[in-house]
Amino acid sequence: MDPNKEEFLKEFGADYGYPNGPKTIDEIRATEFKRLNGRIFFFSITRNSILSKFHFLFLFFGLVYLDHAGATLYSELQMEAVFKDLATNVYGNPHSQSDSSYATCDIVREARQQVLDYFNASPKEYKCIFTSGATAALKLVGEAFPWSDQSCFMYTMENHNSVLGIREYALSQGSAAFAIDIEESLDHSRGNLMSVKVSQHQIQRRNEARFFEKEPTGGAYNLFAFPSECNFSGLRFSLDLVKIIKEDSDRILEGSPFCSGRWMVLIDAAKGCATQTLDLSKHPADFVVISFYKLFGYPTGLGALIARNDAAKLLKKTYFSGGTVAASIADTDFIKRRQEIEELFEDGTTSFLSIASIRHGFKMLNSLTMPSISRHTTSLTTYVRKMLLALKHENGASVCTLYRSDNVKVVCHGWGPIISFNLRRPDNSWFGYREVEKLASLSQIQLRTGCFCNPGACAKYLGLSHSDLLSNIEAGHVCWDDYDVVNGKPAGAVRVSFGYMSTYEDAKMAYLLWMWLLKFIDFVRTSFVSLPNQIGRYHLRERPSSFLNEGPRKLLAGGVFLKSITIYPIKSCAGFSAASWPLSSTGLQYDREWLLKSLTGDILTQKKVPEMCLISTSIDLHQGILFVESPRCKERLQINFKSNTCNGSTGEDFHIHGQRYEGRSYNNEVNIWFSQAVGQPCCLLRCSMSNYYLNNSRCVGMRRDVQSRLNFVNEAQFLLISKESVSDLNDRISSNMKNSALGVAVQVNPMRFRPNLVISGGEPYAEDGWRTLKIGDNCFTSQGGCNRCQMINLVNEGGQMQKSNEPLATLASYRRVKGKILFGILLRYETADEVEQETNSWLQVGQEIHPNSF
C-alpha cells in the first residue's frame, strides 16, 4: 500500500470507507461507479506509408469528480434498479381511475413517506409536496406566504440566489427584507442553549411610507431562511436556530421593529441533507426544501417542500390547475379547491415516474447510513484541507487561501464536505479561478469555480464591499464569465466537494497523467507550487516577454521562410493549402467568409458539431467557384461566389461575440446539402459587411493598437505557427511520455492548430518577440499570442473525433500567461489605407520573412 495512504488510514481509518457497511468504498467504486475508473482507446496513426508501419496510441481517460455540491453522482446499480422497475411495471396517470393509476398512487404515497422518514418527520405534523426542484419549492413558499406591510423576510448572508429570490415577493407586497450575520455561543446559565447575536444589514423596503403609517401590531407573519449547509464555505448552521428564532426573537432582535410577530423558519437543505441528518422531530422548521439529484444523483427535475401542516395552511395559493381542484365552472367565478395539502399545491400531473425512482436512491443511502456517510466525507475533507494548507512556495509563502469561519465565534454542526479556496503566486498575487478550472479539466478533474450562486457568502469570505461588487459589474463581470480577478481581487473561488462515493484516490494519489488518474492534491502541487530547480513542472509566466528568456533568439543561417498557406473558407470546416494566395483588407481573400448557422440562430463550430472537420473545401479563383465536399453527401457542392445574387439569397443581420455582421443567405438546395453534411438543419451565410474592428490599446504581448476588419474569425485576420515551435512542443510531449513510463511518442502536426501561415527556420518561439514582420513586400503587425483551448486536443482519426490531453496539457506546463495558454501569434495585414478594398498583393510559399523584434 502507498505509504501516504497508510498514514491517512492511521488517522481516518475508523471513519473512512464504510468499514462496518455492507460494502467498502473500494467495492462501491468497483461495482457501482465503473464509469469513473477510465476508458481505454486504441487507434493507429500511419507512420510510414511505404513500409505500412503503424504506430499504436494508447490512451487512458479517468475522471475525478469533485463537484458533489453541484450534483452528486448516481449509482449504476441504482439506475439498473430504476430501469428494471420501469420495465416490469405499468404506472398510469395518478389522476385516472385505472389499476395502473392506483399503482402509481401507491408508489407516490410510499415516496412521500420515505421523504418524511428521511427527515424523521411525523405525517401528523408534516406533509411532503413534490415540486420540480428545491428552487420551485422556494418559489412556492415565496409567492404563497402571507406577506403584509408589517411582515419581514430575514435571511443569513450565506444563502443561495434561489432563497434570495423570495425577497422579491416580500418587497412587492410592502414587506421589509434584510440580511443578517450570526455569532453564536453556548449560554450555560440557560441550560447550554445557544446565545445568538445578530448583526443586521440595512433594511430593504419598496414602500417605506406605507409602513410608517401603522404601528407594528405583532400579528404579522415573518419568515427567516437559512441553509443547513453553506454551499460556499461548507459551514453547517446550528439547527437550534429554528427554536431560537421561533421562541426567542424578542431577545435576539431586541430594538428591531420586527422583534415581535409570528416567526416562521425555512431551511434550505438542498446541499446539507446529502451528508448530514436533519431531524425535524428535534428541529421543527416550518419549511424544508430539497432536490433529489443532490441526494443520490437521479432523478433531476424533482424536489420537495416538506411543510408543517399548520404552516402550509397559512400559504395563500392563487392559481389552480388540474389536480388541485375538486370542482370548477368554466363560465362563472366558481372553484372548489381540494383540501389535502399535497393535492392543493401540486399543480398538474406530478412527475410520477421520477417519483417512483427515488425509492431506489433512498435504499442506497439507507444501506450506508447517514452517520457513516458524514464521517466518510468529513475524513476526506479534513485531509484535503490539511494538505492544501501545508502547500508552500519556495519563498515560504502559502499557496492556498481557504475560506472558512474559524475565526468567528460560531457554534454549529461542524463543516460539510466542501472546500473553497483561491491560490496565490509566490509574490502573493492571485491565480484566477478560471485558470485553475481549465487546468483541472485537462487533468480530468471536474470541480466548480465562481460564487456558486451564493453572492452573500462570496462577498463575505472574499472581503468584497458593495463598491467592489459594483465595480466588478461595471467592468463587465457577470456569473459564469472569465473575469476571475478584477482590480487585483478574486471575483470568486475554486470549490471542491465530496460525496458518499468519493475516495482517498480522488483526493490525493498521483498517477501518471495518461495511464492513471491525476488526483487533486498533486494537481495543485504540480500546477501551482513554485519549487526550486523544477524540470517539467508548470511554470507561471507573468508576461510573454519571459518566453524570450528561454534561450537565444538568433535566426538560423538559412533565415525564416513561409512554408505553407492555408485558407478556411467556411468557419470551422476543413481548409485547403495553396502555393500562393491573394490578400484582401480582411486577410487572406475568402478566408472565413462563410459560416453555418442553425435554425435557432446558433453559429455552428467544431466545438458544437465535430463533424464539421469532415467538410473539405477548395476554391478555383479563375472560375470563382467554392467547392465543398462531405463524406455524408454524394454530390460535390459548387458555389459561384463571384455572383452578387448568392443564388437568390436575402440579407440578414446577426451577431458573433457581441459584434454585428450582415450576411447573405443561400437557397434551400445549398442549405439542404449542408444540413445533411453536419447532421442537423442549418443554413449557409456569407459575410457581406462586418462592423467588427479590433481596436485595443498598445500593450506588451497583446497589441491590438489599430483597427482591423475581420470576417468570421475569432480574434485576428491571421494565425501564424512556427514549425520549430511545434517541433519543440513535440519534444516536450515525448519527454513527458517517457517520464510517465508510457513510452509512446505523440506527434502533433502544425495543422492541429488551424494556422493560416506556417513558417520554417529560426529558433523555437522566436515569433513571440516579433512586433512586425514583412513577407515579400507585405507588412504585418503582431497582435500577440493566440490563446489556446481544448479544441487542439481533438484529432480526426479515420472519420472519428478522438480527444486526449495533448498538446494542451504540455503547453500548459510552460506557455501559461495569467491564465492563458499561448501558442502561435495573431497577425494583422497592413494595407495601404484603411478603406475596404481588394489589394493586388499575394503571399507565396517560399517567401522570406523579415521580422522586427522588440
Side-chain angles (χ1 to χ4, degrees):
M1 182 184 292
D2 170 50
N4 291 320
K5 187 170 184 178
E6 287 184 354
E7 288 297 318
F8 169 81
L9 292 176
K10 284 182 182 178
E11 184 174 358
F12 300 106
D15 296 327
Y16 171 78
Y18 313 107
N20 300 316
K23 289 183 180 180
T24 66
I25 185 61
D26 293 335
E27 291 171 333
I28 291 172
R29 283 292 286 263
T31 59
E32 301 187 38
F33 295 92
K34 296 186 289 292
R35 64 191 186 278
L36 298 181
N37 296 334
R39 295 168 288 171
I40 298 175
F41 297 90
F42 291 95
F43 58 90
S44 60
I45 302 172
T46 302
R47 193 174 185 181
N48 188 321
S49 58
I50 298 176
L51 299 177
S52 298
K53 292 181 179 179
F54 293 89
H55 186 74
F56 289 92
L57 181 60
F58 173 90
L59 296 179
F60 183 95
F61 290 96
L63 192 67
V64 179
Y65 188 83
L66 297 175
D67 188 25
H68 295 274
T72 198
L73 301 177
Y74 53 79
S75 157
E76 289 151 25
L77 294 183
Q78 171 193 349
M79 297 308 297
E80 289 176 9
V82 171
F83 296 147
K84 182 179 179 180
D85 185 1
L86 297 181
T88 56
N89 292 288
V90 177
Y91 297 116
N93 190 313
H95 295 162
S96 299
Q97 303 295 313
S98 64
D99 290 343
S100 59
S101 299
Y102 289 139
T104 301
C105 291
D106 290 340
I107 285 293
V108 172
R109 191 179 304 109
E110 292 173 10
R112 295 191 204 277
Q113 188 58 52
Q114 280 187 306
V115 174
L116 295 180
D117 290 344
Y118 189 74
F119 292 95
N120 197 21
S122 168
K124 294 180 180 180
E125 297 180 0
Y126 285 91
K127 292 294 185 288
C128 171
I129 303 167
F130 286 115
T131 65
S132 64
T135 295
L138 291 164
K139 183 173 181 288
L140 190 159
V141 174
E143 65 187 4
F145 193 82
W147 305 108
S148 73
D149 56 7
Q150 297 187 46
S151 296
C152 168
F153 176 48
M154 182 174 72
Y155 52 92
T156 57
M157 279 290 288
E158 298 93 337
N159 257 308
H160 195 278
N161 269 327
S162 295
V163 175
L164 300 186
I166 294 176
R167 183 176 63 193
E168 293 299 299
Y169 290 109
L171 295 177
S172 67
Q173 295 297 317
S175 303
F178 58 87
I180 61 171
D181 293 305
I182 299 177
E183 293 185 9
E184 307 159 344
S185 61
L186 288 177
D187 188 341
H188 299 289
S189 65
R190 303 175 65 239
N192 287 336
L193 291 177
M194 290 173 52
S195 177
V196 176
K197 179 182 178 183
V198 170
S199 299
Q200 182 177 309
H201 292 247
Q202 68 182 43
I203 295 177
Q204 308 154 62
R205 188 181 283 280
R206 290 184 182 160
N207 195 343
E208 210 164 315
R210 181 181 174 188
F211 169 71
F212 287 113
E213 290 175 1
K214 302 178 183 179
E215 289 293 327
T217 63
Y221 288 99
N222 305 314
L223 182 64
F224 170 60
F226 72 98
S228 60
E229 179 182 322
C230 173
N231 76 327
F232 187 97
S233 67
L235 170 69
R236 284 175 174 157
F237 283 86
S238 172
L239 300 177
D240 289 338
L241 283 171
V242 174
K243 288 186 177 180
I244 292 173
I245 295 297
K246 291 174 73 71
E247 299 174 2
D248 205 17
S249 60
D250 288 344
R251 183 180 60 82
I252 64 171
L253 293 174
E254 186 177 1
S256 168
F258 308 104
C259 62
S260 57
R262 302 176 186 179
W263 279 95
M264 309 183 82
V265 177
L266 181 154
I267 299 178
D268 176 8
K271 169 61 188 76
C273 68
T275 55
Q276 181 75 13
T277 301
L278 196 170
D279 189 339
L280 289 177
S281 69
K282 297 179 180 178
H283 310 287
D286 297 284
F287 307 105
V288 176
V289 300
I290 61 171
S291 283
F292 292 103
Y293 75 95
K294 302 272 189 179
L295 281 170
F296 31 72
Y298 181 88
T300 58
L302 183 68
L305 169 65
I306 299 98
R308 282 183 61 88
N309 295 340
D310 54 353
K313 292 175 181 178
L314 294 173
L315 299 180
K316 301 175 180 178
K317 192 161 187 293
T318 302
Y319 176 77
F320 70 90
S321 66
T324 65
V325 293
S328 67
I329 299 177
D331 59 351
T332 189
D333 184 13
F334 176 83
I335 175 180
K336 182 177 181 181
R337 299 180 185 270
R338 292 191 180 273
Q339 298 302 307
E340 293 296 324
I341 291 173
E342 301 97 331
E343 294 177 333
L344 179 61
F345 288 101
E346 291 175 350
D347 289 313
T349 301
T350 57
S351 184
F352 56 89
L353 294 182
S354 292
I355 293 172
S357 70
I358 68 174
R359 57 176 171 166
H360 304 292
F362 278 122
K363 180 179 179 181
M364 177 272 305
L365 287 185
N366 293 334
S367 69
L368 295 175
T369 75
M370 192 51 58
S372 295
I373 291 173
S374 183
R375 291 194 298 270
H376 171 78
T377 53
T378 297
S379 68
L380 292 171
T381 309
T382 303
Y383 170 74
V384 173
R385 186 178 287 115
K386 176 181 176 182
M387 297 295 289
L388 290 176
L389 287 173
L391 293 176
K392 303 290 182 183
H393 287 295
E394 180 186 5
N395 62 2
S398 295
V399 176
C400 295
T401 295
L402 271 59
Y403 300 114
R404 177 170 165 171
S405 299
D406 290 325
N407 59 332
V408 179
K409 297 179 180 179
V410 174
V411 174
C412 60
H413 282 193
W415 297 89
I418 286 177
I419 305 172
S420 291
F421 61 94
N422 273 309
L423 303 175
R424 290 182 181 269
R425 297 183 175 89
D427 64 0
N428 215 35
S429 61
W430 298 99
F431 289 113
Y433 56 77
R434 285 288 290 134
E435 178 179 2
V436 180
E437 184 174 30
K438 290 175 183 177
L439 291 174
S441 181
L442 281 177
S443 299
Q444 300 296 310
I445 297 174
Q446 313 298 306
L447 44 74
R448 180 82 176 267
T449 62
C451 279
F452 326 126
C453 297
N454 197 326
C458 187
K460 180 177 180 177
Y461 286 99
L462 297 179
L464 299 176
S465 64
H466 284 176
S467 60
D468 290 330
L469 297 174
L470 293 174
S471 177
N472 290 353
I473 295 170
E474 290 172 359
H477 173 55
V478 294
C479 296
W480 304 338
D481 65 15
D482 286 340
Y483 287 86
D484 48 14
V485 178
V486 184
N487 297 323
K489 292 183 178 181
V494 181
R495 184 185 74 186
V496 298
S497 51
F498 299 98
Y500 77 86
M501 77 297 295
S502 298
T503 65
Y504 165 82
E505 285 72 23
D506 287 334
K508 168 64 178 70
M509 282 296 293
Y511 292 96
L512 302 173
L513 182 59
W514 277 7
M515 179 60 104
W516 305 102
L517 306 179
L518 181 64
K519 306 302 179 178
F520 179 69
I521 292 297
D522 294 283
F523 153 71
V524 174
R525 186 185 304 279
T526 57
S527 299
F528 297 100
V529 181
S530 174
L531 298 173
N533 301 320
Q534 279 188 319
I535 298 176
R537 299 289 192 182
Y538 292 103
H539 295 291
L540 274 297
R541 309 294 192 182
E542 296 305 316
R543 57 180 183 270
S545 60
S546 64
F547 296 152
L548 307 179
N549 298 328
E550 294 186 345
R553 292 292 181 255
K554 297 179 181 179
L555 299 182
L556 297 178
V560 182
F561 296 91
L562 184 58
K563 181 176 176 61
S564 70
I565 302 170
T566 305
I567 304 94
Y568 306 89
I570 305 175
K571 182 178 178 66
S572 267
C573 292
F576 66 93
S577 296
S580 61
W581 199 259
L583 294 167
S584 72
S585 60
T586 60
L588 291 171
Q589 195 168 31
Y590 307 121
D591 185 56
R592 265 77 58 104
E593 194 158 312
W594 290 265
L595 59 72
L596 296 176
K597 190 177 76 166
S598 73
L599 298 187
T600 59
D602 293 329
I603 305 303
L604 300 187
T605 65
Q606 284 191 35
K607 287 183 179 180
K608 302 174 183 176
V609 188
E611 294 82 2
M612 293 181 71
C613 74
L614 304 177
I615 299 176
S616 60
T617 58
S618 62
I619 285 179
D620 187 318
L621 290 173
H622 178 71
Q623 297 184 62
I625 294 178
L626 167 64
F627 297 97
V628 192
E629 295 183 85
S630 167
R632 294 182 172 181
C633 300
K634 295 181 179 180
E635 301 294 330
R636 181 172 70 163
L637 184 65
Q638 299 184 30
I639 298 175
N640 187 334
F641 56 76
K642 285 191 175 181
S643 171
N644 291 326
T645 63
C646 279
N647 297 331
S649 68
T650 57
E652 183 175 343
D653 289 346
F654 55 97
H655 291 76
I656 304 177
H657 304 302
Q659 305 297 330
R660 178 182 171 273
Y661 288 86
E662 184 177 308
R664 307 290 292 181
S665 58
Y666 286 78
N667 58 28
N668 283 339
E669 182 181 354
V670 172
N671 294 334
I672 290 173
W673 191 97
F674 279 103
S675 298
Q676 183 177 348
V678 300
Q680 63 175 276
C682 66
C683 60
L684 180 69
L685 293 175
R686 183 181 184 184
C687 184
S688 59
M689 188 178 74
S690 165
N691 288 338
Y692 190 171
Y693 294 90
L694 288 174
N695 188 14
N696 295 299
S697 60
R698 189 180 298 270
C699 62
V700 175
M702 200 60 67
R703 297 178 292 281
R704 312 283 198 261
D705 52 312
V706 288
Q707 288 190 342
S708 77
R709 180 175 172 267
L710 304 178
N711 280 338
F712 298 132
V713 298
N714 290 338
E715 284 192 277
Q717 295 175 336
F718 299 86
L719 170 61
L720 180 146
I721 294 291
S722 162
K723 182 175 178 288
E724 278 63 36
S725 298
V726 174
S727 295
D728 178 78
L729 169 62
N730 280 323
D731 290 342
R732 292 174 185 263
I733 294 174
S734 298
S735 176
N736 290 343
M737 297 299 288
K738 291 176 182 178
N739 292 336
S740 70
L742 192 58
V744 176
V746 179
Q747 294 296 302
V748 176
N749 187 287
M751 301 314 296
R752 179 82 73 91
F753 301 95
R754 292 178 64 86
N756 296 110
L757 309 176
V758 177
I759 62 172
S760 178
E763 290 288 325
Y765 314 109
E767 65 274 13
D768 292 328
W770 295 351
R771 179 180 181 83
T772 60
L773 60 148
K774 193 173 184 180
I775 306 177
D777 294 327
N778 301 299
C779 297
F780 301 84
T781 298
S782 172
Q783 295 184 290
C786 180
N787 185 23
R788 312 312 313 207
C789 68
Q790 295 210 35
M791 282 300 298
I792 64 175
N793 288 345
L794 295 175
V795 61
N796 177 16
E797 291 293 336
Q800 297 294 321
M801 296 302 294
Q802 301 285 350
K803 181 180 180 181
S804 72
N805 285 350
E806 295 294 356
L808 196 59
T810 295
L811 286 173
S813 70
Y814 72 108
R815 297 286 299 179
R816 290 215 315 275
V817 182
K818 293 185 177 179
K820 297 181 178 180
I821 302 172
L822 303 182
F823 190 76
I825 60 172
L826 304 171
L827 299 179
R828 175 191 188 271
Y829 173 47
E830 299 292 346
T831 55
D833 52 50
E834 295 299 325
V835 299
E836 297 183 22
Q837 62 179 13
E838 298 303 322
T839 73
N840 294 318
S841 299
W842 287 62
L843 288 181
Q844 186 168 340
V845 171
Q847 286 179 319
E848 188 168 6
I849 295 172
H850 301 280
N852 179 20
S853 301
F854 286 103

